[in-house]
Amino acid sequence: MTSRKRSGSGGSKRPKEKVVYIYELFLRGEDPTINSSEFWNEFFLLQPNVDALENEITKLTSEQFSLVKKNLSMIFQKCIDMLETDHPKRLCHSLQTLCSLFYAIYKKSSADNTYDILNEIFGYDEMDKWMKKLMDYCNQILLGEVLENARFMCLKLLLVLVTGTDNVSQNVLLEHLMMNTLFDSFVRLLSDPTLRTQHGHDIVILLTILVNYRKHEATNPYVVQLSILADELALNGYGQMISQSLIDFCRQYMQSLNNAQTSSWFSSLSNIVGNMFVSDEGCERVQQIKANNGLLMALYEAVHLNRNFITTLAHTQAESSAPPSPSNTLNLTNLTQPVPDLANAPIIDMTQCPTNLLVALFQYCSIVMQDNKNESSVANLKLCFLILTCISEDQYANSMMHDSNLTFKVILHRAQMRHRKLNIDRVGRSQPLAATLLDLLVEFIVSHLMKKFPMELYLLCIGVVHRILCYQKRCRVRLNYPWKELWSALIGLLRFLVNQEQALIKKCNIFHLSLQVVNIFNLFITYGDTFLATTNSYDELYYELNREEKVFTELHAMVLRYTTMSDCEYKDDVIKLLNALVNILAIVKHFQNKIKEWLAEQGLSTPTEEQILDVVRKNYDLTLKLQDSLDHYDRYAEAPRHTNFFKNMVRDMVSDTRKNIYGYVKEAISSIPEPDAMVTSTSSL
């Protein structure tokens, strides 16, 4: 049936919502509450139109704002007062309205005057009182007997508050969350399996942002409380939210590989050609990697601040069937819906999926390190390496990773490269996590020797290798590991640095990285007897040094050349590297002479590997120089070296969260039934 247009009209218009009409009255300076004692009770039964309210506030001029700030103050205060109600619909609507109000104020103002605008609205003498009242009610809602819609909207309100400015340290409203901490409420929610499944992602993101508020400028209670948190249930819950996100990502990646293998050749070719025309920053994989930044930041803060958290790293993932976290879903979903029935969910081969946080992290890193063509992926990988640095410095984490009775089968994804064949036998072999971590680091070393050389990532990677070896030397742990793979990777790195010297020296300090690599060899040479599993390992080490003697000779020649240059800006590292090469060059010279003598005696020109090893075993009669501090490293410190990096990471995290969170607020249509005894008329509105 078609509707008829009224004569003379340009067409029928959709009637304006009653709630929008009320917003307009308030923001024209009128007071629709006059002569209506039940106005606010009835007003909060109306479904908020957050878009309309936001638009009405943001389009106010300075003069209009001055006229209506009294009304804005009234709306803010009535919303906060309504948080005490036990009426579920009014409670949710007041929270949703507050989300829109704060979001609009943030949007209308700049970072340096948001606080002034809110002070004008609330009154300079009343602002602290109302914000304290708001935080108290939020605490009550988070821990109270309320419907999950209310808890959901309360957390969204807090996320709107903490993501109001890109630079979180400029968000002065967070002072109120510092003075009226919600940390205990967050811990209680993380400790409850049901509530954690529904709200854990929001809580972990909130904690991470709050921890980064002026963390190096003043005492931050969230930093203090997170660093001393010992509640095992809460720490496990915190870790499970992170591991679930990483596991989801790894599962999606495995699925994409399976789909690629089953697709036709023509389809694959079409995808390749199609991807040529998609920008790196815009591709789906990059967006998925970037979506994990928030929970990776949460993992970093936990391993950096809280030693108790380390004990949760190898706990078996107990919630592998939980729904995917919002960080990994690119489309908005209505989180107010009940958890779906999983009885008919497809069976997933769990041997292909990580089982705990460390395993998930290692597999995740192996995927991320394959993509290094854009800044987002490089930043994500740097964050991964900083997390691995913190883990590799921890005594308990190292003892756990080196425990031969605690083995895991971890599938590390390796980049396809023309000059190598993948060792299929070692893919997914059950082994201690320290061996898997070394496999991961070796993979990075051999797969990133490129023109756009990622110097900082290599320094971090080599630093993690060094820390693992220092632990093994200090605790005399003999890890059963094919060390030849590590040595070959390190020698390949030195060869690359020597060959690319002219291009790299203009961009970075190749001597510092070379020194780190050479000192790892010196650590093996000087202290290998304390941590190498067999005496044959020593023989293989000396064999590799001699087999690749050309690399060390060329490196020495390069260093000597720079010692004569008066204008070399890296002179200190050049001298240190020259001294560090002494033992390696002595070993090479000693065994090269012994091998030549043996070849002359035997009348041979091309010896076998076993013959060379036999010469090595019989000729350890050489004196080496004792080098100091080979097992010493500067413990990781965030400031000042990485301060700007984390500011940028938090800025991106805040910006991305703000975009997603307000989408949830807009779509959160209440589905709460009216109480049976309630018959309410809104005619007076």
Side-chain angles (χ1 to χ4, degrees):
M1 183 174 70
T2 59
S3 58
R4 290 182 297 174
K5 295 179 182 179
R6 185 176 300 175
S7 177
S9 70
S12 60
K13 288 187 177 181
R14 184 181 176 183
K16 186 177 293 184
E17 292 177 64
K18 190 180 290 285
V19 72
V20 174
Y21 174 68
I22 296 170
Y23 296 156
E24 291 176 350
L25 290 177
F26 274 121
L27 297 176
R28 286 203 302 262
E30 300 179 32
D31 185 359
T33 67
I34 296 175
N35 302 323
S36 178
S37 60
E38 289 298 308
F39 176 87
W40 292 107
N41 282 335
E42 296 175 355
F43 173 76
F44 285 112
L45 290 176
L46 298 174
Q47 172 65 44
N49 186 322
V50 293
D51 275 330
L53 181 55
E54 175 201 333
N55 291 335
E56 289 296 323
I57 293 175
T58 52
K59 72 182 183 183
L60 290 173
T61 65
S62 298
E63 294 77 14
Q64 290 171 331
F65 177 80
S66 298
L67 293 173
V68 303
K69 65 183 179 182
K70 182 178 178 182
N71 279 356
L72 280 173
S73 176
M74 187 193 312
I75 299 172
F76 264 110
Q77 293 174 17
K78 293 300 181 180
C79 284
I80 294 173
D81 282 336
M82 190 57 67
L83 299 183
E84 195 176 17
T85 183
D86 56 0
H87 190 292
K89 190 175 283 288
R90 291 187 180 118
L91 177 57
C92 282
H93 289 174
S94 58
L95 287 165
Q96 202 172 2
T97 305
L98 279 171
C99 286
S100 184
L101 289 168
F102 278 112
Y103 186 86
I105 296 298
Y106 276 126
K107 188 175 179 180
K108 184 175 178 61
S109 59
S110 58
D112 55 354
N113 71 350
T114 303
Y115 202 63
D116 291 335
I117 290 178
L118 285 169
N119 267 315
E120 279 192 59
I121 292 172
F122 283 101
Y124 285 89
D125 296 333
E126 299 289 309
M127 177 73 171
D128 289 347
K129 182 191 81 172
W130 282 103
M131 288 304 296
K132 182 181 186 309
K133 196 172 184 181
L134 175 59
M135 293 303 109
D136 288 344
Y137 283 142
C138 285
N139 261 319
Q140 291 178 24
I141 293 167
L142 293 178
L143 298 179
E145 297 277 334
V146 297
L147 293 179
E148 291 313 309
N149 300 61
R151 221 180 321 262
F152 171 85
M153 283 307 306
C154 182
L155 289 167
K156 295 298 178 282
L157 170 61
L158 293 172
L159 283 167
V160 168
L161 288 174
V162 302
T163 60
T165 59
D166 286 346
N167 185 338
V168 67
S169 294
Q170 291 180 349
N171 189 348
V172 189
L173 268 189
L174 296 196
E175 285 294 336
H176 295 284
L177 277 84
M178 299 296 135
M179 293 184 290
N180 307 284
T181 177
L182 299 166
F183 188 84
D184 290 340
S185 296
F186 294 157
V187 168
R188 292 270 296 278
L189 292 175
L190 285 174
S191 301
D192 185 289
T194 302
L195 295 177
R196 177 173 65 243
T197 299
Q198 295 170 314
H199 308 296
H201 179 270
D202 286 351
I203 295 165
V204 171
I205 294 296
L206 274 167
L207 274 173
T208 306
I209 295 174
L210 288 167
V211 161
N212 280 279
Y213 175 71
R214 298 183 177 177
K215 66 191 301 188
H216 300 302
E217 302 168 27
T219 301
N220 181 322
Y222 292 89
V223 172
V224 175
Q225 290 171 301
L226 181 59
S227 64
I228 62 175
L229 179 64
D231 186 322
E232 189 175 356
L233 287 175
L235 290 173
N236 284 339
Y238 187 103
Q240 283 178 358
M241 297 314 304
I242 300 165
S243 59
Q244 186 58 52
S245 177
L246 300 184
I247 288 170
D248 288 343
F249 180 87
C250 294
R251 185 183 289 121
Q252 290 171 18
Y253 181 80
M254 290 293 292
Q255 186 63 48
S256 68
L257 290 183
N258 293 335
N259 292 341
Q261 291 171 358
T262 57
S263 64
S264 66
W265 177 87
F266 181 78
S267 175
S268 300
L269 180 62
S270 300
N271 288 336
I272 293 171
V273 174
N275 287 336
M276 292 179 183
F277 301 97
V278 180
S279 67
D280 290 327
E281 286 289 347
C283 72
E284 183 179 356
R285 178 64 43 75
V286 174
Q287 293 303 316
Q288 289 174 335
I289 289 173
K290 193 175 179 182
N292 281 296
N293 282 350
L295 289 178
L296 268 186
M297 279 291 299
L299 176 57
Y300 165 78
E301 297 296 353
V303 298
H304 176 49
L305 295 174
N306 190 308
R307 292 207 61 204
N308 298 317
F309 183 76
I310 297 295
T311 62
T312 72
L313 291 176
H315 281 197
T316 300
Q317 175 68 25
E319 296 179 3
S320 57
S321 60
S325 63
S327 69
N328 257 344
T329 47
L330 300 180
N331 58 327
L332 295 177
T333 55
N334 188 353
L335 295 188
T336 59
Q337 294 177 353
V339 178
D341 179 15
L342 298 169
N344 298 317
I347 298 174
I348 298 169
D349 181 6
M350 289 308 294
T351 63
Q352 301 294 308
C353 299
T355 53
N356 64 47
L357 184 47
L358 260 187
V359 171
L361 177 64
F362 292 167
Q363 187 170 336
Y364 176 83
C365 290
S366 73
I367 298 171
V368 171
M369 68 172 54
Q370 295 182 52
D371 185 359
N372 46 61
K373 297 177 182 177
N374 58 81
E375 292 183 5
S376 297
S377 296
V378 171
N380 188 278
L381 184 53
K382 178 180 176 179
L383 182 54
C384 289
F385 274 129
L386 291 177
I387 292 168
L388 294 176
T389 299
C390 295
I391 291 172
S392 63
E393 285 187 2
D394 186 86
Q395 180 80 7
Y396 180 85
N398 269 307
S399 64
M400 177 182 63
M401 290 192 297
H402 286 85
D403 189 343
S404 59
N405 296 315
L406 194 63
T407 61
F408 295 88
K409 182 178 180 180
V410 185
I411 298 177
L412 296 182
H413 301 278
R414 290 170 166 82
Q416 294 292 336
M417 301 172 68
R418 286 177 293 178
H419 63 277
R420 71 165 181 183
K421 291 183 179 180
L422 294 182
N423 185 354
I424 301 198
D425 291 340
R426 298 202 55 234
V427 174
R429 188 180 71 180
S430 186
Q431 60 184 2
L433 287 172
T436 301
L437 177 53
L438 286 169
D439 285 343
L440 179 70
L441 300 171
V442 167
E443 173 62 20
F444 175 82
I445 294 170
V446 301
S447 62
H448 287 73
L449 302 175
M450 61 188 85
K451 187 175 181 181
K452 190 177 179 181
F453 188 69
M455 172 61 81
E456 186 176 24
L457 296 182
Y458 266 97
L459 286 171
L460 290 171
C461 176
I462 298 301
V464 177
V465 173
H466 186 218
R467 284 161 172 78
I468 294 171
L469 295 176
C470 288
Y471 169 81
Q472 293 176 8
K473 179 261 177 185
R474 184 173 64 250
C475 299
R476 296 181 175 269
V477 175
R478 301 183 186 276
L479 181 69
N480 185 17
Y481 186 77
W483 294 109
K484 185 177 178 180
E485 294 185 13
L486 174 63
W487 300 330
S488 297
L490 294 175
I491 292 171
L493 172 57
L494 290 176
R495 182 187 297 109
F496 177 84
L497 295 176
V498 171
N499 292 340
Q500 301 297 320
E501 167 215 344
Q502 293 301 319
L504 293 176
I505 197 68
K506 301 171 185 176
K507 305 173 185 176
C508 52
N509 184 356
I510 60 175
F511 303 103
H512 181 56
L513 178 57
S514 300
L515 176 63
Q516 301 298 96
V517 174
V518 169
N519 276 340
I520 286 178
F521 280 108
N522 284 328
L523 191 59
F524 277 103
I525 293 167
T526 309
Y527 300 111
D529 61 317
T530 64
F531 61 86
L532 288 175
T534 65
T535 54
N536 287 339
S537 297
Y538 246 126
D539 304 334
E540 291 173 355
L541 171 62
Y542 281 32
Y543 173 84
E544 284 299 309
L545 294 177
N546 278 276
R547 189 172 70 86
E548 300 285 2
E549 58 88 15
K550 183 181 178 183
V551 174
F552 295 101
T553 303
E554 291 179 347
L555 178 62
H556 182 243
M558 183 186 78
V559 173
L560 281 177
R561 186 157 35 88
Y562 278 92
T563 58
T564 63
M565 296 181 184
S566 58
D567 60 343
C568 178
E569 60 179 310
Y570 308 123
K571 205 62 169 281
D572 288 344
D573 286 320
V574 169
I575 300 301
K576 290 177 184 177
L577 180 55
L578 184 64
N579 293 329
L581 282 166
V582 169
N583 282 344
I584 294 177
L585 294 173
I587 290 169
V588 169
K589 183 178 180 181
H590 172 79
F591 284 104
Q592 287 294 312
N593 290 334
K594 294 296 182 181
I595 292 169
K596 287 177 183 177
E597 291 174 7
W598 184 83
L599 289 174
E601 291 174 4
Q602 301 296 320
L604 297 173
S605 59
T606 53
T608 65
E609 179 178 338
E610 189 54 43
Q611 288 172 330
I612 298 296
L613 283 170
D614 191 54
V615 173
V616 169
R617 293 187 192 101
K618 295 176 180 178
N619 291 281
Y620 275 108
D621 53 334
L622 76 161
T623 303
L624 299 175
K625 180 182 178 181
L626 184 63
Q627 295 181 325
D628 298 327
S629 302
L630 293 176
D631 59 343
H632 171 77
Y633 56 83
D634 294 330
R635 289 192 66 83
Y636 171 76
E638 180 180 314
R641 182 178 173 187
H642 302 291
T643 303
N644 287 334
F645 168 75
F646 281 107
K647 281 184 179 178
N648 291 332
M649 288 298 288
V650 174
R651 183 187 296 271
D652 287 346
M653 173 186 170
V654 164
S655 177
D656 291 343
T657 302
R658 180 172 58 240
K659 291 174 188 174
N660 289 332
I661 239 56
Y662 201 56
Y664 288 120
V665 173
K666 290 178 180 180
E667 293 189 2
I669 306 299
S670 295
S671 57
I672 309 167
E674 293 281 357
D676 293 339
M678 184 184 304
V679 179
T680 307
S681 169
T682 57
S683 58
S684 60
L685 297 176

